[in-house]
């Protein structure tokens, strides 16, 4: 996707996403056979409900039909939330992951799996699980030390609603 097309699509789609109180995470145009696929990834502090994605998809479709931003050819529009395996790249991603287990690849080559306890402008406060019955330890990691990060899937994790009950 050309930068010009990407910028134009972002300018058309971002106000529609913002009107639903969502964050526009990504816009991607790719080929699928003879058709193109426009993927719009959105998120919010509270996640994204399926009905909201459907409403947003209709609004984006109507807006794109009124313009030539996608050109003349056929395309498929997909509006969704980021998957559980989405990389943590923005400050807001880390904030949304507070309480979750994350795998961090550090610039020095080390890897760290730890629970995100707090996030500020400089970095993360983490709880590193203890090994073989040992107590967890606290650790501070600055954002500039992180090469890559991703939330780890936990099948036995209590969600916030269960913890508050």
């Amino acid at each position: 996707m050309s930068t010009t097309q990407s910028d134009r699509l972002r300018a058309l789609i971002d106000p529609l996403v913002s009107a639903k109180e969502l964050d526009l995470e990504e816009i991607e145009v790719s080929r699928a056979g003879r058709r193109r696929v426009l993927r719009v990834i959105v998120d919010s502090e509270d996640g994204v409900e399926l009905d909201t994605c459907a409403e947003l998809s209709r609004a984006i479709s109507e807006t794109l039909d009124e313009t030539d931003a996608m050109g003349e050819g056929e395309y498929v529009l997909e509006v969704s939330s980021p998957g559980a395996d989405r990389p943590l790249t923005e400050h807001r991603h880390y904030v949304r992951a507070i309480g979750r287990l994350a795998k961090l690849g550090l610039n020095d080559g080390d890897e760290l799996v730890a629970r995100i306890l707090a996030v500020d402008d400089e970095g993360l406060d983490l709880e590193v699980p203890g090994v073989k019955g040992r107590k967890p330890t606290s650790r501070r990691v600055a954002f500039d030390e992180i090469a890559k990060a991703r939330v780890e899937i936990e099948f036995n994790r209590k969600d916030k609603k269960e913890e508050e009950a």
Side-chain angles (χ1 to χ4, degrees), residues 52-71:
T52 305
C53 283
E55 292 168 12
L56 184 57
S57 180
R58 285 189 290 276
I60 291 171
S61 182
E62 289 172 11
T63 299
L64 292 177
D65 287 349
E66 295 169 0
T67 71
D68 65 346
M70 286 300 293

Side-chain angles (χ1 to χ4, degrees), residues 49-139:
E49 294 183 8
L50 188 58
D51 289 343
T52 305
C53 283
E55 292 168 12
L56 184 57
S57 180
R58 285 189 290 276
I60 291 171
S61 182
E62 289 172 11
T63 299
L64 292 177
D65 287 349
E66 295 169 0
T67 71
D68 65 346
M70 286 300 293
E72 294 298 316
E74 292 181 19
Y75 68 92
V76 174
L77 173 62
E78 295 178 1
V79 177
S80 66
S81 61
D85 62 345
R86 170 197 58 194
L88 303 175
T89 57
E90 302 284 335
H91 185 273
R92 68 178 178 264
H93 297 164
Y94 290 98
V95 171
R96 290 177 186 153
I98 290 174
R100 306 284 307 269
L101 201 60
K103 183 175 187 178
L104 308 174
L106 304 179
N107 291 328
D108 64 7
D110 285 346
E111 279 195 345
L112 175 65
V113 176
R115 190 162 311 280
I116 300 173
L117 299 178
V119 179
D120 59 32
D121 292 339
E122 286 81 40
L124 312 172
D125 290 328
L126 304 170
E127 179 184 76
V128 181
V131 180
K132 295 184 181 179
R134 293 189 179 152
K135 290 185 178 183
T137 58
S138 297
R139 180 161 175 189

